[in-house]
Amino acid sequence: MATAAGLSMDRLIGEPPAAVHPVAGFGLIMERVERMVWADRRSNGAVYALSGAVTGAITGLATGSTSVCAWAAVAGRELRRVASRVGGLLETGDLAAARAELPALAGRDPSDLDSSGIAAAVIESLAENSVDAVIAPAFWAAVAGAPGACVYRAVNTMDSMVGHRNERHSNFGWAAARLDDMANYVPARIFAALLAVLHPHRAREIVAVVRRDSPAHPSPNAGVAEAAMAAALGRRLGGPLRYGSATEDRPRLGDGPRPNPADIPAAVRIADRIEQAAVMILVLISLLIQIRKQKSQQP
């Protein structure tokens, strides 16, 4: 029930203010740690990742509240708000403003993206970050309480900071990236399963597309989430994208036409329904546990 309360707090009031958000404070701490321990070796990156995970565990233990830690670790409301804003800009034809807003949602270079490319980026980010910012923190909060939620958010934040395939971080960020892969493995598949349950008329296609297309994606988890979203919408995601000066040709995910701006509200609704379903499932599990405890205490 505490994890469901944390998710509900995010839905009702959003994230804590930026000035006091614990994730921002954690990021500043880990920037200092990186400066102290950085070397172009995986072993140094492992020290960095371990220190961050321990910091997350200590924070969770000190806080002692699963609902508060889950609230701080979840960001579904903000994710959907930014996605809706970019979609609204596209629908009004303000491509320049949509490009300027996109980096708040997705890390790719938006300068050459047309409206369809931006729509695809928004939908892919909604899928991937519905795992990272909703399902995974809720899963780990439910499994391991306040420390689980805080350790997960620490791992995911470290991955966003150093888990890049660039000259500085390809070795140093390896441990953080692998930890993030492991932490999101089950949640990504929960996300895909929930999509199939919530879209029974497309469930067979969702399963088929995930099995067929996700293995080619460079991420073992983002590929699952994006393929499931593509199948649920009946659109084709993936393809060429650019991060700074690096160009990457992502595998095609799903069948059908490329997305257009009108598909973004549908994707936002799907992400919202996924979070609602997660809350309801967590409440149901909590009630079942309580009923079982009461029965076991009866003479």
Side-chain angles (χ1 to χ4, degrees), residues 161-184:
M161 294 174 68
V162 304
H164 311 296
R165 299 173 184 175
N166 55 33
E167 185 176 352
R168 178 176 176 84
H169 292 130
S170 59
N171 286 319
F172 184 81
W174 181 86
R178 296 294 77 74
L179 278 176
D180 186 69
D181 286 344
M182 290 187 288
N184 282 304

Side-chain angles (χ1 to χ4, degrees), residues 1 9 21 44 75 114 121 143 151 175 189 192-193 195 201 241 243 250 266 271 273-274 295:
M1 194 70 77
M9 288 167 66
H21 201 303
N44 290 66
D114 59 11
V143 168
V151 170
R189 285 143 186 86
L195 259 181
H201 61 293
L241 53 84
Y243 291 96
R250 291 284 176 87
R273 290 181 65 200
I274 289 285
K295 287 184 176 180

Side-chain angles (χ1 to χ4, degrees), residues 26 52-53 55-56 149-159:
F26 175 79
T55 300
C150 290
V151 170
Y152 171 76
R153 181 47 61 205
V155 168
N156 188 250
T157 302
M158 288 188 293
D159 177 61

